[in-house]
Amino acid sequence: MVRIGKTSTLEIVKFTESGAYLDGGPYGEILLPKRYVQEQHTAGDELEVFVYFDSEDRLVATTEQPLARVGECAFLEVVDVAAPGAFLDWGLQKNLLVPYREQAVRMEVGKRYLVRVYVDERSGRIAASSRIDRFLNQDPLAEKPGDEVDLLIARKTELGWMAVIHHTHSGILYFNELFQPVAIGDCCKGYIRKIRSDGKI
């Protein structure tokens, strides 16, 4: 099953001079370019690939993995700014677009920003947004006080550090409850201390 913007396991259908074509189900055959095809690959093999749109908006597969997938947050560097918006290096050949409307502040080349990767409903393309708050805390957190969670340090506040929990929720790390130095962009483990009645963590 093809999951655009996420890792999928797809079967090799055939080989051409361009590479291997994978069974994309309702999306048809999806090209895995020749540079990612290994000598031992044969028709019928199943490969773990990342599926996204190339520079001509065609679905393409790669065995490389991006720095963030759809539904995930990451600190990524701006490598270019153009008419559509800012472009981020996310570890793949085609850079990731942050449209101007999705920039919390106007992005600059060479700087890193916390973004959330998503699929644009209007175009169907993969994009990123630095307006991450609108993607977080949409559902109750499954974890309970005392549970271990993965954290991504997002920004400094008057009370402590705002952290993204499991790419889905935001929480606060109070300064007086930190026992190690942290910085924006750090990934670390934490423990749920309290979930308030208003849902704040």
Side-chain angles (χ1 to χ4, degrees):
M1 178 178 173
V2 177
R3 299 187 300 166
I4 297 173
K6 297 188 177 183
T7 301
S8 304
T9 301
L10 304 181
E11 181 181 329
I12 296 176
V13 175
K14 65 184 180 184
F15 295 89
T16 69
E17 291 184 357
S18 301
Y21 280 88
L22 310 178
D23 182 3
Y27 296 100
E29 295 178 351
I30 298 174
L31 175 65
L32 176 69
K34 190 173 182 178
R35 60 181 170 275
Y36 303 120
V37 179
Q38 304 296 318
E39 289 184 4
Q40 68 269 25
H41 289 159
T42 61
D45 285 352
E46 291 188 339
L47 302 180
E48 189 174 272
V49 294
F50 181 79
V51 178
Y52 69 116
F53 293 95
D54 66 12
S55 56
E56 297 181 17
D57 287 331
R58 299 172 300 188
L59 277 181
V60 66
T62 175
T63 53
E64 297 177 338
Q65 293 299 317
L67 299 175
R69 299 169 183 80
V70 168
E72 296 180 350
C73 299
F75 271 90
L76 302 177
E77 182 178 343
V78 176
V79 293
D80 191 23
V81 174
F87 290 89
L88 309 175
D89 176 8
W90 66 324
L92 299 180
Q93 280 207 323
K94 181 188 176 186
N95 295 321
L96 181 63
L97 172 67
V98 184
Y100 284 113
R101 68 178 182 276
E102 293 296 336
Q103 298 178 26
V105 296
R106 189 57 58 93
M107 293 181 166
E108 301 176 28
V109 173
K111 292 187 176 181
R112 297 171 69 235
Y113 299 86
L114 175 66
V115 296
R116 167 92 168 198
V117 183
Y118 71 101
V119 175
D120 186 275
E121 293 182 356
R122 289 179 290 183
S123 67
R125 300 186 184 98
I126 300 170
S129 173
S130 63
R131 300 181 183 276
I132 65 165
D133 289 345
R134 69 185 182 89
F135 296 95
L136 303 177
N137 303 336
Q138 294 183 351
D139 299 300
L141 184 68
E143 285 75 14
K144 301 294 186 286
D147 288 350
E148 182 181 83
V149 290
D150 293 318
L151 303 176
L152 171 61
I153 306 302
R155 61 176 178 264
K156 199 173 186 178
T157 72
E158 293 182 356
L159 299 175
W161 293 92
M162 181 273 204
V164 177
I165 306 165
H166 292 323
H167 302 283
T168 59
H169 290 74
S170 63
I172 188 76
L173 285 164
Y174 291 112
F175 290 128
N176 63 353
E177 295 178 354
L178 272 173
F179 302 102
Q180 66 185 60
V182 297
I184 293 175
D186 283 355
C187 294
C188 56
K189 297 290 185 181
Y191 296 88
I192 301 296
R193 183 178 181 275
K194 183 179 182 180
I195 301 177
R196 295 189 344 189
S197 58
D198 59 4
K200 291 187 177 179
I201 306 164

